[in-house]
Amino acid sequence: MADKAKRIFLTEDEMPKQWYNVRADMKIKPAPLIHPGTHEPLTVEQMSPIFCEELCKQELDNDTRYIDIPEEVLEFYKIFRPSPLIRAYQLEKELGTPAHIYYKFEGNNTSGSHKLNSAAAQVYYAKKQGLDSITTETGAGQWGTALAMASAFFHIPLTVYMVKCSYEQKPFRKSVIQSFGADIIPSPSDTTEVGRQILAKFPGTGGSLGCAISEAVEKATHTPNSRYVLGSVLNQVLLHQSIIGEEAYIQMEKAGEYPDIVIGCAGGGSNLGGIMSAFMRDKLTGKKDPEIIAVEPASCPSLTRGRFAYDFCDTGHVCPLGKMYTLGSEFMPSPSHAGGLRYHGMSPIVSQLYHDGYMRAVAVEQTKVFEAATLFARTETILPAPESSHAIRAAIDEALKCKETGEAKTILFNLTGTGYFDMTAYQAYHDGKMSDLIPTDEDLEKGFATIPNVE
Amino acid sequence: MADKAKRIFLTEDEMPKQWYNVRADMKIKPAPLIHPGTHEPLTVEQMSPIFCEELCKQELDNDTRYIDIPEEVLEFYKIFRPSPLIRAYQLEKELGTPAHIYYKFEGNNTSGSHKLNSAAAQVYYAKKQGLDSITTETGAGQWGTALAMASAFFHIPLTVYMVKCSYEQKPFRKSVIQSFGADIIPSPSDTTEVGRQILAKFPGTGGSLGCAISEAVEKATHTPNSRYVLGSVLNQVLLHQSIIGEEAYIQMEKAGEYPDIVIGCAGGGSNLGGIMSAFMRDKLTGKKDPEIIAVEPASCPSLTRGRFAYDFCDTGHVCPLGKMYTLGSEFMPSPSHAGGLRYHGMSPIVSQLYHDGYMRAVAVEQTKVFEAATLFARTETILPAPESSHAIRAAIDEALKCKETGEAKTILFNLTGTGYFDMTAYQAYHDGKMSDLIPTDEDLEKGFATIPNVE
């Protein structure tokens, strides 16, 4: 029976040809990025020395509801898209739940994550603008891998600044990025002024994402005809990731269902933003009212314990300020295994929607996340990334509630990545050596003290 | 345009419901496995203390052309099958070849390989027979992972003997197998008599596949209601892998093409056997005459430099003898990075067909293989396993011949695995530290001396 299919595919012809800009339907728009010095909203002219021009326009466009995906980007998408929507029959059976659990699987590409959706777009626009090179930073490595793949495809040189401790802890990520032909430099490095300053001040430091961002921005702005690209948080990134939700929306229709609950993990917001936007459209336009759940790590709880305020996007304070839920740019999340969720802030779009009551947020503990990940692997056979496993945890919790109440709710979550490069984390879990790393109120207060006072 | 699609999917309904037994169409059947003591062909009764009964029957069945895939195995297949057939447009463009290159991608599952096709079947039959546990060995780890996944799914305990040096060199493989709930023991171990003997004789040895097989067989035969399972070489395994070629055959029809050349890498033969069987049927029945190419590593050249003779399947000489192309059971392949191809022998089916002129074989050097793998990754965005990259090398070489001659041949190869756990090899290639490890004639003579004299 077709309606019993485990995997619901779309043909290439059925793949959406436009990104959906959720800002167009938001009654209260996300607050604009502001200049760190003047606190004035940034213009395209001010942003374009750092970012590609077309991306600056997308960043500031709160009005255009649908934006055509360029033909060349569609061609690239067809390598790994449309991605399957999968009914988790075995997980449902194992849980004994009446709930119908679906997941959108974005891990079927070498980057192992959804990051490729925005990487393809950003690299294409860089190429179209005639740039000679681009730069970026990477922490856990998914974004760096995705961008290296897209850069190889569109033939544009890429330099990746990888946080030094990750560079050393995850040599395989480095090798993958090199396999795609990108230059990779452990940060802090002596290739930039800011890197040399940090090295002089903190010899032997393992670096940080904030420092790597600062180096990548400096490298781009000090190299002729080069620009910097970023993999999350920004409005443009959520725009590109909307393809996930647009596909899932059609696939749920094919399955003859509509989700009562839509779940995504939330670090910078690109994951949740991607899966939710098509369903958020229904909420914003009053067509339907699915429950939307952001899942964050208890170790880095920006939505559930953070403040809604203008804050620096980076620890180095070289980037613009964004209004978002934040723990403070100097909050140092514990070294959890979900590197992709260890960010002090949150996408301004997700933040505004959360603030306005369009979604709820839950924080989950690391050990419970790996318990869910292992159960998922054994039943559904996919080994999930720690980040995505936060969404699995929440989906299982909702399905178990259904078991208690007897409700057959339809649950959709975003499975954005695979865990092949996270086996150290799995081993720590198997060996009983994993803890939950929940910050104390004092830890949070220290972070909040670093939030600037901006109206 | 539909005929320009990059990825050709089948629906679950279109997935073949039967395995194809190529032996039924072979004029000269593969020689039977014989008893190591009596040299008499093995019966189901003699094999069934080691293997599941249904699998013994499949092993000896040279006549039944199509065998129904059990409903439960089909259900399991639907988690990761049908697998996509992909047109390598970008690779074609990069090579500037008029050839049409297609690949069947079997890497979209957590085992990272096609091994799951046979693992699902073997574990299902073990469960159906009411066994309490199964055992196996693993070298590089793909087979161990696949079997652990299937064992978790069908709820049957599994013990994996992993070659000790691999166990230590690839701790992540071990963690993946443990994530699926299997017991994993470095071999040689003190859990078996043969393991203890080897440890006493060679303290500190890193083990070998032959030793791990011996331990797994002893463990199975000394444990009540337990059996041993094997991931390649055997007729039953090629039967299960035939699903690859059956799907590819339908998908090529959908693409409106028929392959002039079908390519698979060859270690034990499950990979090549899987992709070729549907097309070999056309050759054996005189319907069509595609060229079939087995690609082996120059470091372990069983087909191109080996002998066609009865030989031991394992170095420990506890298993039956098979008639095959072999380098001798004590030939020690150099430590190349394609662990899955480091086998002294070859499937009796592949061996017989090769002997009878139904395919040709090429041996390729490791550095050229990684050159091809890197080019493939950068154009097609999939990071291939070293084993599969042997097929990529041959496909590229054929496509380059087409460029010279101007022929627009249609080339199909089997991309059975991803390289996420092989980054040490990629790094060695990037660093220029990889060599080709080609055995000398003297090396081969030493191996040949260990082939028993059996008529």
Side-chain angles (χ1 to χ4, degrees):
Chain A
M1 294 192 310
D3 63 333
K4 283 282 287 176
K6 277 194 186 5
R7 297 187 300 169
I8 299 154
F9 281 107
L10 300 179
T11 65
E12 290 176 7
D13 288 342
E14 291 172 308
M15 189 169 77
K17 307 284 185 294
Q18 296 183 308
W19 292 305
Y20 167 58
N21 184 3
V22 71
R23 286 167 284 167
D25 286 318
M26 287 170 69
K27 278 151 206 83
I28 303 172
K29 308 296 180 190
L33 294 175
I34 60 175
H35 190 281
T38 66
H39 293 182
E40 291 295 317
L42 286 178
T43 62
V44 168
E45 290 66 35
Q46 286 170 316
M47 293 169 78
S48 56
I50 299 177
F51 297 114
C52 301
E53 199 164 330
E54 190 64 33
L55 293 167
C56 296
K57 288 182 193 161
Q58 291 180 357
E59 192 61 29
L60 298 183
D61 185 345
N62 284 344
D63 306 307
T64 312
R65 206 158 177 247
Y66 294 98
I67 292 177
D68 286 344
I69 304 173
E71 196 57 46
E72 293 84 348
V73 177
L74 285 174
E75 278 306 300
F76 187 85
Y77 278 177
K78 285 177 188 171
I79 298 171
F80 63 104
R81 309 205 68 83
S83 71
L85 179 78
I86 306 176
R87 172 86 181 263
Y89 283 112
Q90 299 96 245
L91 179 61
E92 292 172 16
K93 192 175 160 196
E94 185 76 18
L95 296 173
T97 177
H100 295 190
I101 306 174
Y102 290 86
Y103 54 97
K104 179 73 168 163
F105 184 40
E106 293 283 313
N108 266 349
N109 68 72
T110 296
S111 79
S113 87
H114 66 299
K115 295 284 182 186
L116 204 49
N117 296 321
S118 188
Q122 295 197 45
V123 173
Y124 163 73
Y125 288 122
K127 187 73 183 177
K128 194 182 166 206
Q129 189 173 328
L131 298 179
D132 292 327
S133 65
I134 52 175
T135 72
T136 199
E137 82 294 331
T138 199
Q142 282 101 329
W143 170 246
T145 307
L147 203 65
M149 290 166 69
S151 299
F153 184 86
F154 287 111
H155 294 95
I156 187 166
L158 164 68
T159 301
V160 179
Y161 286 89
M162 186 167 186
V163 177
K164 191 186 273 176
C165 63
S166 296
Y167 182 92
E168 286 163 359
Q169 282 166 3
K170 300 191 174 195
F172 291 165
R173 270 288 176 201
K174 175 191 71 177
S175 305
V176 176
I177 291 171
Q178 287 180 326
S179 294
F180 286 99
D183 268 344
I184 183 161
I185 299 171
S187 167
S189 75
D190 61 5
T191 66
T192 63
E193 184 55 36
V194 63
R196 286 186 292 270
Q197 283 173 8
I198 292 169
L199 282 174
K201 201 167 164 189
F202 307 102
T205 176
S208 73
L209 209 49
C211 167
I213 293 176
S214 305
E215 286 205 86
V217 171
E218 179 184 323
K219 175 79 172 177
T221 52
H222 286 65
T223 304
N225 205 28
S226 184
R227 293 293 184 282
Y228 165 73
V229 297
L230 181 63
S232 190
V233 183
L234 297 177
N235 296 339
Q236 58 185 265
V237 176
L238 267 71
L239 174 72
H240 307 147
Q241 295 296 355
S242 70
I243 184 94
I244 302 173
E246 294 301 310
E247 282 185 8
Y249 197 96
I250 305 170
Q251 287 164 314
M252 290 300 298
E253 283 182 338
K254 286 204 174 198
E257 303 227 45
Y258 188 89
D260 298 297
I261 304 173
V262 178
I263 299 171
C265 67
S270 74
N271 190 315
L272 174 70
I275 189 74
M276 80 172 182
S277 61
F279 302 96
M280 187 59 80
R281 177 175 54 217
D282 283 353
K283 280 179 92 84
L284 292 169
T285 59
K287 188 178 166 192
K288 297 233 184 193
D289 194 26
E291 186 175 12
I292 294 174
I293 304 177
V295 193
E296 57 184 15
S299 59
C300 191
S302 354
L303 291 171
T304 52
R305 296 174 72 192
R307 295 193 177 157
F308 189 46
Y310 263 110
D311 196 5
F312 295 100
C313 295
D314 63 320
T315 25
H317 298 186
V318 301
C319 291
L321 282 71
K323 191 170 181 190
M324 55 188 180
Y325 279 84
T326 178
L327 298 165
S329 64
E330 289 176 35
F331 173 79
M332 267 294 151
S334 301
S336 87
H337 292 289
L341 304 181
R342 291 178 61 217
Y343 182 62
H344 70 278
M346 179 58 65
S347 137
I349 291 175
V350 169
S351 295
Q352 189 66 50
L353 288 166
Y354 175 64
H355 189 70
D356 294 341
Y358 287 100
M359 66 178 82
R360 67 182 173 94
V362 295
V364 291
E365 292 93 9
Q366 184 166 243
T367 50
K368 295 231 169 73
V369 166
F370 276 84
E371 181 192 51
T374 305
L375 177 63
F376 185 81
R378 292 182 189 179
T379 51
E380 294 293 317
T381 80
I382 294 171
L383 191 79
E387 291 83 359
S388 309
S389 301
H390 286 69
I392 297 174
R393 176 74 262 170
I396 288 176
D397 289 342
E398 293 299 322
L400 290 175
K401 281 187 212 164
C402 288
K403 187 178 181 178
E404 280 188 22
T405 63
E407 288 174 288
K409 284 190 181 175
T410 299
I411 300 168
L412 167 66
F413 72 88
N414 203 13
L415 182 63
T416 41
T418 48
Y420 305 125
F421 293 96
D422 300 286
M423 294 321 299
T424 308
Y426 276 93
Q427 195 60 52
Y429 175 71
H430 299 321
D431 295 344
K433 290 180 182 161
M434 182 174 276
S435 53
D436 287 335
L437 311 168
I438 299 171
T440 63
D441 287 341
E442 289 70 37
D443 295 333
L444 294 187
E445 285 303 328
K446 278 185 213 159
F448 293 150
T450 68
I451 299 175
N453 192 6
V454 176
E455 191 28 51
Chain B
M1 293 193 309
D3 63 334
K4 283 283 286 176
K6 277 193 187 1
R7 296 188 299 169
I8 299 153
F9 281 107
L10 300 179
T11 64
E12 290 176 6
D13 288 342
E14 292 172 309
M15 189 170 76
K17 307 281 184 294
Q18 296 183 310
W19 292 305
Y20 166 58
N21 183 3
V22 71
R23 286 167 283 168
D25 287 318
M26 288 169 69
K27 277 151 208 82
I28 303 173
K29 308 295 181 192
L33 293 175
I34 59 175
H35 190 281
T38 66
H39 292 181
E40 290 295 316
L42 286 178
T43 62
V44 167
E45 290 66 35
Q46 287 170 316
M47 293 169 79
S48 57
I50 300 177
F51 297 113
C52 299
E53 199 164 331
E54 190 63 34
L55 293 167
C56 296
K57 288 181 194 162
Q58 291 180 358
E59 192 62 29
L60 297 182
D61 186 345
N62 285 344
D63 306 310
T64 313
R65 206 159 178 245
Y66 293 98
I67 292 178
D68 286 343
I69 305 174
E71 197 58 45
E72 293 85 348
V73 177
L74 285 174
E75 278 305 301
F76 187 86
Y77 278 177
K78 284 177 188 172
I79 298 171
F80 63 103
R81 309 205 67 84
S83 70
L85 179 78
I86 305 176
R87 171 86 181 263
Y89 283 112
Q90 299 96 248
L91 179 62
E92 291 172 14
K93 193 174 158 194
E94 185 76 18
L95 297 172
T97 177
H100 294 192
I101 307 174
Y102 291 85
Y103 54 97
K104 178 75 168 161
F105 184 40
E106 293 282 313
N108 266 349
N109 68 72
T110 296
S111 78
S113 88
H114 66 299
K115 294 284 182 186
L116 204 49
N117 297 321
S118 189
Q122 295 196 45
V123 174
Y124 164 73
Y125 288 122
K127 187 74 184 174
K128 194 181 166 207
Q129 189 173 329
L131 298 179
D132 291 329
S133 65
I134 52 176
T135 73
T136 197
E137 83 294 330
T138 198
Q142 282 101 328
W143 169 247
T145 307
L147 204 64
M149 290 167 70
S151 299
F153 184 87
F154 286 112
H155 294 95
I156 187 164
L158 165 69
T159 301
V160 179
Y161 286 88
M162 186 166 184
V163 178
K164 192 186 272 176
C165 63
S166 297
Y167 181 92
E168 285 162 359
Q169 282 166 2
K170 301 191 175 195
F172 291 166
R173 270 287 175 202
K174 176 191 70 178
S175 305
V176 175
I177 291 170
Q178 287 180 327
S179 295
F180 285 99
D183 268 344
I184 181 160
I185 298 171
S187 168
S189 74
D190 61 5
T191 65
T192 64
E193 184 55 35
V194 62
R196 287 187 291 271
Q197 284 173 7
I198 292 169
L199 282 174
K201 200 166 164 190
F202 307 103
T205 176
S208 72
L209 209 50
C211 168
I213 293 176
S214 305
E215 286 205 86
V217 170
E218 180 185 322
K219 174 80 173 176
T221 51
H222 287 64
T223 303
N225 206 27
S226 184
R227 293 294 184 283
Y228 165 73
V229 297
L230 181 63
S232 191
V233 183
L234 297 177
N235 297 338
Q236 59 185 265
V237 176
L238 267 71
L239 174 71
H240 307 147
Q241 295 296 355
S242 70
I243 183 94
I244 302 173
E246 294 300 309
E247 281 184 9
Y249 197 95
I250 305 170
Q251 287 165 315
M252 290 300 299
E253 282 182 339
K254 286 204 174 198
E257 302 227 43
Y258 188 89
D260 298 297
I261 304 173
V262 178
I263 300 171
C265 66
S270 74
N271 189 316
L272 174 69
I275 189 75
M276 81 173 181
S277 61
F279 302 96
M280 187 60 81
R281 177 175 53 216
D282 283 353
K283 278 178 92 87
L284 293 169
T285 59
K287 188 177 166 193
K288 297 234 184 192
D289 194 26
E291 186 175 11
I292 293 174
I293 304 177
V295 193
E296 58 184 14
S299 59
C300 191
S302 353
L303 291 170
T304 52
R305 297 174 71 192
R307 294 193 179 158
F308 189 45
Y310 263 110
D311 197 5
F312 295 99
C313 296
D314 63 320
T315 26
H317 298 185
V318 301
C319 291
L321 282 71
K323 191 170 181 190
M324 54 188 181
Y325 278 84
T326 178
L327 297 165
S329 63
E330 290 176 35
F331 173 78
M332 269 293 152
S334 302
S336 86
H337 292 289
L341 304 181
R342 292 178 60 218
Y343 182 64
H344 69 278
M346 179 58 65
S347 138
I349 292 175
V350 170
S351 294
Q352 190 66 49
L353 288 166
Y354 176 64
H355 188 69
D356 295 340
Y358 287 100
M359 68 177 81
R360 67 182 172 93
V362 294
V364 291
E365 293 93 9
Q366 184 165 242
T367 49
K368 295 232 170 72
V369 166
F370 275 84
E371 180 192 51
T374 305
L375 177 63
F376 185 81
R378 293 183 189 179
T379 51
E380 294 293 316
T381 80
I382 294 170
L383 191 78
E387 291 83 358
S388 309
S389 301
H390 286 69
I392 297 174
R393 176 74 262 169
I396 288 176
D397 289 343
E398 293 299 321
L400 290 175
K401 281 187 212 163
C402 288
K403 186 178 180 178
E404 280 187 24
T405 63
E407 288 174 286
K409 285 189 180 174
T410 298
I411 300 168
L412 167 65
F413 73 89
N414 203 13
L415 182 62
T416 41
T418 48
Y420 306 125
F421 292 96
D422 300 285
M423 295 320 301
T424 308
Y426 275 94
Q427 195 61 52
Y429 175 70
H430 299 321
D431 295 344
K433 289 180 182 160
M434 182 175 277
S435 55
D436 288 334
L437 310 168
I438 299 171
T440 63
D441 287 340
E442 288 70 36
D443 295 332
L444 293 187
E445 284 304 328
K446 278 185 213 160
F448 293 151
T450 68
I451 299 175
N453 192 7
V454 176
E455 190 28 49

